[in-house]
Amino acid sequence: MNVTSWDAAQYLRFEDERLRPALDLMARIPHPAPARVVDLGCGAGNALAPLAARFPSASVTGVDGSASMLAKAATTGFATEQADIAAWAPTAPVDVLFSNAALQWLGGHEALFPRLLSHLAPGGVLAVQMPSMHAAPLRAEQDRIAREGPWAERLSRVGSAPPVLAPGDYYDLLRPRVASLDIWVTEYVHVLRGEDPVVQWAMGTSLRPFLDALDGALREGFLDTYRAAMRAAYPPRADGAVLLPFRRLFLMARVR
């Protein structure tokens, strides 16, 4: 598995757009008064303060594997922990295990999600949001371009986040294990501005594994080809704005 470097500043160029699904997710968490809340895959920590506002009596901790992201998250004043989120386990059961746009990077959801449920206290809630964009040009063109051109050999073992499961698969996996389960899909239409804003968006997340594997002329050639593909797929509107439809899958599971 290739190790991806993360740039908090690049990720936060679209902080408001990236935070909106997190706010929508936490607003629907049904727990009345959690004592321990964990943001698993907290990244730069932009959801920590809203989580604390949503649950003012709770202890809120952010967990992430990236030192650069956690350095930014630490500036929020909340407790943070560096750990591989694929193997993380809490020291004590958690009342709300929250994860926004992180678990899609991990494979093996058939084993991962039951394990995360096992970390919850009685009545605890697992609240998850994951992008579901593999059929969209934003992601599909990354894979197509990676297979073509002079960089193809260098990128032969490189990929971005694996596809998430279909909603029905998560239902079949989780429903027998929980007291209640809510699954929904929302497509946000982000209004982006600036030079090649879709590329700038992707450079903060899904494009990083490809860029990390390239340098020099190969990296610039790959980026130029991706820029052209994104301009064609997401052309500017009459006022210069670029619309990026972005589909996200939400899961809310409460244990007995």
Side-chain angles (χ1 to χ4, degrees), residues 189-193 233-245:
V189 180
H190 298 303
V191 180
L192 309 182
R193 296 186 182 274
Y234 305 100
R237 317 307 293 183
D239 65 352
V242 173
L243 303 185
L244 175 61

Side-chain angles (χ1 to χ4, degrees), residues 48-186:
L48 296 176
L51 278 170
R54 172 73 173 84
F55 301 113
S57 63
S59 168
V60 177
T61 302
V63 178
D64 203 88
S66 167
S68 61
M69 285 291 204
L70 282 180
K72 181 66 176 176
T75 66
T76 64
F78 292 93
T80 60
E81 175 187 345
Q82 185 170 3
D84 177 0
I85 65 171
W88 172 84
T91 56
V94 175
D95 298 302
V96 172
L97 186 50
F98 176 91
S99 186
N100 180 65
L103 299 185
Q104 76 277 4
W105 289 99
L106 308 179
H109 283 192
E110 295 85 353
L112 173 67
F113 275 75
R115 184 171 62 78
L116 294 178
L117 291 176
S118 74
H119 297 327
L120 295 174
V125 176
L126 174 65
V128 175
Q129 181 275 123
M130 299 178 291
S132 182
M133 288 289 288
H134 288 82
L138 175 79
R139 282 297 318 279
E141 287 297 289
Q142 294 172 9
D143 294 328
R144 181 189 67 80
I145 293 168
R147 294 191 299 266
E148 302 174 359
W151 46 76
E153 183 176 355
R154 185 83 68 89
L155 298 178
S156 62
R157 295 191 174 185
V158 176
S160 194
V164 298
L165 303 179
D169 293 329
Y170 287 108
Y171 182 90
D172 293 341
L173 176 66
L174 298 176
R175 189 64 191 92
R177 296 176 163 89
V178 299
S180 66
L181 176 64
D182 192 8
I183 303 175
W184 71 98
V185 174
T186 299

Side-chain angles (χ1 to χ4, degrees), residues 10 14 18 105 133-151 155 160 192 195-211 214 217-235 242 244-246:
Q10 181 70 35
F14 302 98
R18 298 193 195 281
W105 289 99
M133 288 289 288
H134 288 82
L138 175 79
R139 282 297 318 279
E141 287 297 289
Q142 294 172 9
D143 294 328
R144 181 189 67 80
I145 293 168
R147 294 191 299 266
E148 302 174 359
W151 46 76
L155 298 178
S160 194
L192 309 182
E195 184 177 358
D196 292 315
V198 175
V199 177
Q200 293 298 323
W201 176 288
M203 287 177 67
T205 52
S206 57
L207 202 61
R208 294 223 61 85
F210 302 101
L211 298 182
L214 300 173
L218 286 180
R219 189 176 192 272
E220 288 308 308
F222 179 87
L223 264 177
D224 286 344
T225 305
Y226 186 65
R227 286 188 188 104
M230 293 303 94
R231 289 169 186 164
Y234 305 100
V242 173
L244 175 61
F246 205 100

